[in-house]
Amino acid sequence: MKLVFLGQQSWLFSSISTNILIDPILTESFGSSENQRFWIYPNRKIDRSSIPKINAILISSEHIQHFHLKSLLLLDRSIKVFIGFNTPYFVEQILTKYGFSVSRLEIGITQEIGEFAFTFFAGKEETIDVDARTHSILISETTIRKSVILQSDTTLSQQIINASQKDMYLEAIICTNNCKLGKDGKMIMLENILPIKTSYISGMPGLELLFEIVVKNVEHFSPTVNLVLNGSGYTTRKDRQPIFKWTQRELVNIASKLTFSNHIYGPCPGECFSFDDKEHFKIDDNVSWISQLKDFDLKLLSEVNYDENSLMPYSIFQYNNYTNDLTYNALLIAIEMELKCMSKTLILSELGADMIAIDEYLSGKLSEKRFSFQLINPNGEDLHFVFDISQVGFRKVTNVNHEAIKTYPFGMVIHLSDFIALLAGKIQAWELATAGAIKQWHVNHVHRSPIMYFLRHFAEDLKPDLAFLTYENSLSDGTL
Amino acid sequence: MKVCFLGHQTWLISEKNTFILIDPILKDQFGASLNAGFQIYPPRNINISKIPKLSGIIISHEHSDHFDIESLNLLSRDIPVYLGVLVISPVVETIEELGFKVYKIPSLDSSTIEFEDISLTLFPSGRETAFWEKKVNQIYIQSKHSLNDSLFIAVDALISDQFCAKVNSQEINYPKTIIVSNNSQITPIGVFGALENRKMIQTNNPFKTGLVGLKVLHTILFKYFESASLPIPDNIIICGSGFMKDSDNFGPFPFSDQDELAVIASSLSIEKCIKGLLPGESVDLERPNIIEKVDWITLDSQRMKMLQTQRENFIKEGRVLIKSSLLPDYKTEEEKKNKLNFVLAELNSMIPAMMFWDLGKRILSLTEYQSKPLGRKRFVICLLDGPEKVYVQIALDFIELKFNFDDTPQDKLVEYFPFGLELYYRDFIGVATGEIQIWDIAGIALESWYEGPDFEGPVPFLYSYYGENTSPHLAKLAYTRSLDNLEKVK
């Protein structure tokens, strides 16, 4: 079996006569909108004409870093697409619409294609909600009875651990490092703009991270199992410089010094691994059709996306001048309708529970208003809403913008144009947050913070129609 | 300081010239819906005109067994009413409409309410309290004449973390007396309880087997304090479950005669005084062993005895209660059928909130059920139009996240679906449109089965979703009806 790393969490697995792609991103970047690209990092270009003939595509998760419709549409529609049982329906729906035939594989049921056999597994119960429908995949080459686990964005369940140890030899685990720590030591997507230290970034995040992704994954398996790190393989910067604190390679270099028995790898796109009936897992020659990009267009360097230290969110979408009052009023109604939907999910969320439980803040006494939601509009009036627990609803307020962070213990700031783009299906919430277009403050655990709530509220499975629309819209721009 | 019990969870706290009424239920029944009245047990009669002159009324939270419009209507409008800051606005609006002046008190030490002889502080519920009880305020009362004379009313929620912190930092004296609630609402064997799980057969149903009553006592008198890392106080007063949901059948809840439970508990403890008062009984906190009686509350001992006998017979005869609908069914089949689209739309609009709540999380994370992999359908709602007669069955498709009509045979439901809910079609529409409250059918016309803990199943989700704290607009409808009814009676 030969494993070719395509970047981020994309892989090509090849045997003598069979090739399968997993979560393929074949373009230089992914994303719903040309206004905000997510460039694969380390940067690379794929010569698609040289990709071997593909026999099957496996999609582990509905998220755009895994399910990239535009890349799939570059492939032949006769290739069968396999999704895990828990995948939201819209994935199947849109792939079918564009001519693919899709098979939804039951959890734990093995499918064979050529020399490959693969099985989808759900994650452990404690996986966070937004990743609850993500699958880990056990892939084996039946002729040599050797296999690989692809973790994807979930925790490995006991089921997959058991299955991997049944009359087969597990060569490697491809584990996911989704560390959100940025170059500047701040969190990508989830930074808290309140100047309070959180355990996540104060202590020893690198040590905790490695413990989590390496030690905890390995302890269920044979002490000699090989580990391959992938994930966080993109950048939002136009100059395509990295945004994350550590590359996989850096982490691997450290981890490798701390073990007797395990081999740990952090490949760059184009790098390969292989094993067969005689030989164990080893590094193989790079493929020629993936070229690493080293030279950037220098003029792009001056166009760095945003000031990462800014307390203000970065703006992705341009403002229309809302000269037509009718359009503006219609927008306001759409926003207020969405806020009404948000009220019920917010009050019943973990963030809601924390909002009820807190009893003091910087300003001393807390009123029933505890969550601030600001939509910035440099071309007109800012819209500022606060969530009132007594009324279970958002109320519009005026003239408190600058005091909001001191008055309310929880808050989010986003550009009006970007929020409208989200509601209109031009971009996903995850993309906004990752690109720094949403700022938040909170006094609770980061996993229960406003942005985590927001990501869940706008998650693909809870808003399938919006997810479908956003994917459709993503096809209409020319970016590849 | 003296504490006088008026029934269920209503208290009159007094110190010298100061009289504070807490959560007044003064009539012989309460309930926010006209179709459902819950009779107070033990039955008693209160002579309103003889209640001492009040300095204030405290309403700890919004539930109808604590906030009763008809009772408030009997009181003088010049008494200030105090509420916690997070109480839903319709409660405030309703009390104001009755003509009272309302004060919303932030739950902070600095927001102590000062009366002539006592000061009173509201504390928020403990962090892990169930969602529908999260806005309960726990009340700390301190006499202004003696530092040792204080009381904590810690009912309906876990003990406030903020209270514990203040006790630990010695900012407040740990009170000698704490009032706790027994909300177990255990039902007889033949009556399916509100949080029971249909999957539990008689032999392993924790609500029905083993030493049920002992488990209740252990929970409210021991675990309650242990989980907050507080010592067991010298004196504990037990209250709660002081009403009947179904006075015609089994009557009062078993293991809810707090006076009897207190005697048992006292005999199992050393140097602790545990009291369960009957309505009209009063104790001076300095001498908790001596029970006094007030003359303006008369216990109806005869009816109390009768109800106890009725309950005993119900249990002895092994009677079974078949659930019936609270609201009368639609007059015509057509009218009934026309509501189907509403019901489906209502259920579908509930999904996002459900997925944020424990039930949805569990539906999402469950991978197998009864050792078999799960199918697409994971949660079924059976809407009845007669005893055990399903009118329509609706199931959640987990892949599409949509409710659809379903035709799984009734005898296969528990085997197929890990989560299920059964209630009357008419009642569901009544709850969704605010004709009745979810609490009205809880325990009498609502059954479920589920995986996971009993506070995370379909019924607690309905409590959370249709309860006042998520759907204040529905509560508002109930309050408006009560106010209109007061007008009519006038």
Side-chain angles (χ1 to χ4, degrees):
Chain A
M1 193 191 299
K2 185 168 176 172
L3 289 66
V4 184
F5 182 54
L6 308 185
Q8 164 55 7
Q9 289 174 266
S10 293
W11 290 87
L12 170 72
F13 282 20
S14 302
S15 64
I16 303 156
S17 68
T18 318
N19 295 291
I20 57 178
L21 276 173
I22 302 144
D23 293 349
I25 295 172
L26 305 174
T27 48
E28 282 177 52
S29 70
F30 63 92
S32 301
S33 161
E34 56 188 310
N35 292 36
Q36 179 61 57
R37 304 310 301 164
F38 295 81
W39 306 96
I40 298 295
Y41 186 85
N43 306 134
R44 55 91 176 112
K45 194 176 182 58
I46 295 178
D47 174 10
R48 289 190 293 275
S49 61
S50 306
I51 300 177
K53 186 178 172 342
I54 303 298
N55 305 86
I57 302 163
L58 275 50
I59 306 288
S60 71
S61 151
E62 72 276 20
H63 299 319
I64 194 163
Q65 321 90 291
H66 301 264
F67 172 50
H68 187 233
L69 186 59
K70 216 162 195 173
S71 292
L72 295 175
L73 294 183
L74 297 169
L75 298 163
D76 189 1
R77 303 301 148 68
S78 65
I79 306 168
K80 212 153 185 188
V81 181
F82 294 90
I83 58 175
F85 188 77
N86 296 346
T87 310
Y89 181 61
F90 87 92
V91 172
E92 188 177 340
Q93 213 178 7
I94 200 157
L95 283 172
T96 311
K97 177 173 173 180
Y98 286 94
F100 282 103
S101 78
V102 180
S103 295
R104 185 181 290 274
L105 284 189
E106 277 188 39
I107 302 296
I109 302 296
T110 302
Q111 172 77 39
E112 292 196 16
I113 296 280
E115 295 96 12
F116 283 113
F118 47 87
T119 321
F120 285 81
F121 291 90
K124 258 192 188 165
E125 272 197 28
E126 62 260 29
T127 306
I128 55 167
D129 293 353
V130 280
D131 287 326
R133 290 175 184 268
T134 296
H135 304 83
S136 306
I137 313 174
L138 177 65
I139 304 173
S140 61
E141 196 173 330
T142 49
T143 45
I144 58 171
R145 311 201 70 76
K146 286 183 167 185
S147 64
V148 172
I149 284 179
L150 200 109
Q151 181 187 10
S152 195
D153 296 348
T154 184
T155 37
L156 294 177
S157 66
Q158 196 56 48
Q159 249 189 317
I160 192 168
I161 293 166
N162 295 346
S164 72
Q165 287 159 349
K166 229 168 31 196
D167 54 64
M168 240 184 319
Y169 185 82
L170 180 69
E171 283 284 354
I173 307 168
I174 299 175
C175 11
T176 304
N177 159 26
N178 270 337
C179 175
K180 296 278 179 278
L181 199 64
K183 276 271 166 224
D184 54 359
K186 291 188 172 167
M187 300 246 299
I188 304 274
M189 179 163 101
L190 292 169
E191 179 65 12
N192 187 354
I193 59 175
L194 269 180
I196 50 175
K197 285 256 181 250
T198 58
S199 64
Y200 196 90
I201 47 176
S202 46
M204 305 193 72
L207 190 64
E208 282 175 54
L209 173 74
L210 276 179
F211 190 82
E212 204 61 40
I213 58 180
V214 179
V215 178
K216 283 200 180 166
N217 272 334
V218 167
E219 63 189 8
H220 304 288
F221 301 95
S222 114
T224 53
V225 73
N226 293 282
L227 292 173
V228 183
L229 299 193
N230 69 357
S232 296
Y234 51 85
T235 173
T236 49
R237 288 173 57 141
K238 281 189 186 141
D239 60 6
R240 305 200 195 177
Q241 292 297 305
I243 51 171
F244 294 107
K245 178 114 181 131
W246 298 289
T247 62
Q248 308 298 0
R249 177 127 317 162
E250 284 168 329
L251 285 175
V252 160
N253 287 342
I254 297 166
S256 299
K257 291 179 191 151
L258 301 168
T259 172
F260 290 119
S261 57
N262 292 107
H263 288 284
I264 306 162
Y265 304 92
C268 285
E271 294 182 355
C272 299
F273 304 95
S274 67
F275 56 85
D276 56 30
D277 51 347
K278 293 181 199 75
E279 296 236 44
H280 281 309
F281 194 86
K282 63 173 197 327
I283 296 176
D284 206 333
D285 297 337
N286 287 14
V287 290
S288 59
W289 43 274
I290 301 177
S291 44
Q292 299 194 6
L293 297 174
K294 291 253 154 57
D295 301 310
F296 303 107
D297 188 344
L298 281 176
K299 74 175 190 287
L300 282 175
L301 284 172
S302 58
E303 273 188 58
V304 174
N305 284 17
Y306 57 97
D307 172 14
E308 286 160 354
N309 297 315
S310 168
L311 295 184
M312 290 294 279
Y314 167 67
S315 154
I316 294 172
F317 287 85
Q318 293 301 309
Y319 284 89
N320 295 316
N321 272 319
Y322 304 113
T323 43
N324 179 346
D325 281 350
L326 220 82
T327 323
Y328 186 62
N329 285 337
L331 280 176
L332 282 184
I333 291 170
I335 289 168
E336 288 186 3
M337 273 171 62
E338 189 58 49
L339 291 177
K340 212 172 162 184
C341 293
M342 282 167 68
S343 304
K344 284 204 173 168
T345 55
L346 181 58
I347 194 80
L348 289 168
S349 70
E350 288 162 333
L351 173 61
D354 292 341
M355 273 162 39
I356 293 174
I358 182 177
D359 68 339
E360 42 191 344
Y361 188 57
L362 302 170
S363 50
K365 288 181 194 178
L366 271 178
S367 77
E368 55 279 63
K369 300 182 179 71
R370 296 183 177 185
F371 177 67
S372 160
F373 187 72
Q374 283 166 276
L375 297 171
I376 306 171
N377 180 9
N379 288 8
E381 115 188 271
D382 287 355
L383 296 176
H384 187 181
F385 300 90
V386 291
F387 183 71
D388 183 320
I389 297 179
S390 297
Q391 302 184 354
V392 194
F394 284 89
R395 295 289 169 263
K396 213 170 154 204
V397 290
T398 43
N399 300 330
V400 279
N401 289 10
H402 307 296
E403 294 298 311
I405 193 167
K406 290 186 207 156
T407 313
Y408 308 105
F410 300 91
M412 270 178 62
V413 190
I414 177 170
H415 280 269
L416 175 63
S417 55
D418 290 345
F419 189 59
I420 289 166
L422 170 68
L423 299 184
K426 305 277 188 216
I427 196 163
Q428 296 190 348
W430 178 87
E431 297 177 90
L432 287 177
T434 304
I438 309 175
K439 294 284 173 183
Q440 67 169 349
W441 71 88
H442 60 96
V443 292
N444 61 348
H445 191 279
V446 64
H447 287 161
R448 303 158 71 105
S449 66
I451 287 180
M452 285 306 284
Y453 156 75
F454 195 74
L455 293 183
R456 184 67 188 131
H457 180 84
F458 284 99
E460 297 92 331
D461 60 334
L462 294 192
K463 289 204 181 286
D465 298 342
L466 185 62
F468 189 95
L469 177 68
T470 313
Y471 269 98
E472 287 248 282
N473 288 338
S474 76
L475 300 178
S476 62
D477 75 55
T479 330
L480 280 184
Chain B
M1 199 155 34
K2 279 189 179 179
V3 175
C4 175
F5 184 58
L6 279 72
H8 182 52
Q9 296 202 24
T10 305
W11 301 95
L12 180 72
I13 311 294
S14 58
E15 170 80 329
K16 294 201 164 40
N17 298 321
T18 307
F19 292 87
I20 308 291
L21 189 57
I22 292 170
D23 293 343
I25 307 284
L26 304 173
K27 303 187 94 175
D28 55 6
Q29 64 169 34
F30 65 88
S33 313
L34 303 178
N35 296 62
F38 304 128
Q39 291 181 24
I40 290 288
Y41 173 86
R44 46 72 184 124
N45 184 46
I46 300 175
N47 186 343
I48 310 286
S49 61
K50 288 183 74 182
I51 298 179
K53 189 171 161 30
L54 297 172
S55 317
I57 300 166
I58 316 283
I59 293 175
S60 67
H61 65 293
E62 70 291 337
H63 291 156
S64 64
D65 57 333
H66 295 258
F67 163 57
D68 183 49
I69 297 167
E70 294 206 19
S71 296
L72 287 173
N73 188 45
L74 301 171
L75 297 166
S76 166
R77 303 305 197 259
D78 54 17
I79 311 165
V81 178
Y82 300 91
L83 296 159
V85 69
L86 291 183
V87 71
I88 53 163
S89 351
V91 170
V92 177
E93 290 154 18
T94 304
I95 303 173
E96 284 175 342
E97 199 149 323
L98 282 169
F100 289 95
K101 178 122 181 65
V102 177
Y103 298 87
K104 282 175 85 174
I105 307 299
S107 45
L108 255 188
D109 197 36
S110 56
S111 312
T112 297
I113 314 166
E114 299 293 344
F115 297 99
E116 193 183 333
D117 304 292
I118 63 172
S119 55
L120 187 151
T121 313
L122 300 183
F123 283 95
S125 63
R127 277 192 87 89
E128 301 301 318
T129 301
F131 178 81
W132 60 94
E133 303 280 16
K134 268 197 194 305
K135 290 191 189 168
V136 169
N137 286 282
Q138 300 192 322
I139 307 168
Y140 174 71
I141 305 167
Q142 169 70 56
S143 159
K144 288 192 171 173
H145 305 290
S146 159
L147 209 58
N148 277 329
D149 198 4
S150 63
L151 169 72
F152 189 48
I153 306 181
V155 298
D156 280 12
L158 298 179
I159 295 183
S160 170
D161 301 85
Q162 285 85 345
F163 175 79
C164 295
K166 293 224 183 288
V167 167
N168 291 333
S169 65
Q170 295 179 342
E171 279 175 73
I172 55 178
N173 272 341
Y174 189 50
K176 281 214 176 82
T177 310
I178 293 184
I179 300 180
V180 301
S181 59
N182 164 9
N183 289 328
S184 55
Q185 294 177 25
I186 305 280
T187 50
I189 305 276
V191 182
F192 195 89
L195 297 178
E196 285 182 40
N197 188 347
R198 200 182 261 185
K199 274 182 226 171
M200 302 274 186
I201 47 167
Q202 293 302 351
T203 51
N204 63 0
N205 180 347
F207 294 91
K208 294 286 152 72
T209 54
L211 291 145
V212 180
L214 189 68
K215 282 189 271 183
V216 170
L217 280 181
H218 186 257
T219 303
I220 62 172
L221 298 175
F222 183 79
K223 264 174 44 192
Y224 189 61
F225 296 102
E226 190 199 32
S227 65
S229 303
L230 289 177
I232 295 172
D234 291 349
N235 313 312
I236 301 176
I237 303 176
I238 321 174
C239 66
S241 299
F243 59 87
M244 293 176 287
K245 285 213 142 170
D246 187 40
S247 49
D248 298 336
N249 289 292
F250 65 89
F253 294 108
F255 312 110
S256 71
D257 294 270
Q258 316 302 355
D259 53 331
E260 290 172 17
L261 285 180
V263 171
I264 297 169
S266 294
S267 67
L268 295 170
S269 46
I270 297 164
E271 290 170 359
K272 301 283 175 200
C273 170
I274 295 140
K275 282 278 167 275
L277 302 180
L278 290 168
E281 291 184 338
S282 162
V283 289
D284 187 329
L285 296 183
E286 310 271 13
R287 295 178 298 276
N289 268 317
I290 301 163
I291 290 181
E292 299 161 23
K293 279 186 183 161
V294 297
D295 59 1
W296 45 277
I297 302 173
T298 10
L299 182 72
D300 187 345
S301 331
Q302 213 180 338
R303 181 161 155 75
M304 181 176 158
K305 267 260 135 32
M306 195 205 85
L307 287 164
Q308 286 172 344
T309 315
Q310 178 186 326
R311 176 181 60 195
E312 265 164 49
N313 291 339
F314 188 97
I315 296 170
K316 228 182 340 196
E317 291 160 17
R319 283 176 57 193
V320 173
L321 186 69
I322 308 278
K323 314 239 137 131
S324 56
S325 114
L326 196 66
L327 293 170
D329 201 1
Y330 291 104
K331 288 202 177 68
T332 66
E333 274 305 308
E334 202 191 344
E335 197 186 347
K336 188 149 103 185
K337 214 174 141 201
N338 285 341
K339 298 282 179 193
L340 276 173
N341 285 337
F342 166 79
V343 168
L344 198 61
E346 171 69 17
L347 288 174
N348 277 320
S349 70
M350 186 197 276
I351 291 174
M354 187 171 92
M355 297 312 288
F356 265 90
W357 205 76
D358 303 301
L359 172 64
K361 286 170 193 278
R362 211 163 275 279
I363 288 175
L364 196 57
S365 66
L366 211 61
T367 50
E368 52 171 33
Y369 177 55
Q370 305 200 337
S371 317
K372 280 179 289 209
L374 274 167
R376 293 174 73 118
K377 298 186 291 180
R378 299 190 173 182
F379 176 32
V380 67
I381 299 177
C382 303
L383 297 170
L384 312 177
D385 65 349
E388 288 168 32
K389 199 165 142 268
V390 176
Y391 176 64
V392 61
Q393 195 168 297
I394 297 171
L396 179 75
D397 181 319
F398 156 80
I399 305 295
E400 288 188 58
L401 268 194
K402 250 168 78 181
F403 277 105
N404 297 309
F405 295 116
D406 180 72
D407 53 12
T408 310
Q410 247 184 300
D411 57 338
K412 294 267 183 272
L413 288 178
V414 177
E415 186 187 317
Y416 188 92
F417 291 95
F419 300 89
L421 185 67
E422 187 180 278
L423 70 164
Y424 277 85
Y425 182 70
R426 184 66 189 86
D427 287 349
F428 176 71
I429 295 169
V431 168
T433 58
E435 286 172 271
I436 51 173
Q437 286 199 303
I438 184 69
W439 315 113
D440 300 337
I441 57 169
I444 47 174
L446 191 56
E447 290 195 17
S448 70
W449 68 92
Y450 50 85
E451 293 287 289
D454 54 12
F455 269 39
E456 298 181 4
V459 168
F461 171 67
L462 290 190
Y463 290 176
S464 301
Y465 186 77
Y466 285 116
E468 295 86 343
N469 290 332
T470 299
S471 301
H473 62 289
L474 295 179
K476 174 90 183 169
L477 291 172
Y479 303 157
T480 308
R481 261 196 324 269
S482 289
L483 286 174
D484 289 350
N485 199 44
L486 290 181
E487 278 300 308
K488 268 186 231 150
V489 173
K490 233 195 233 168

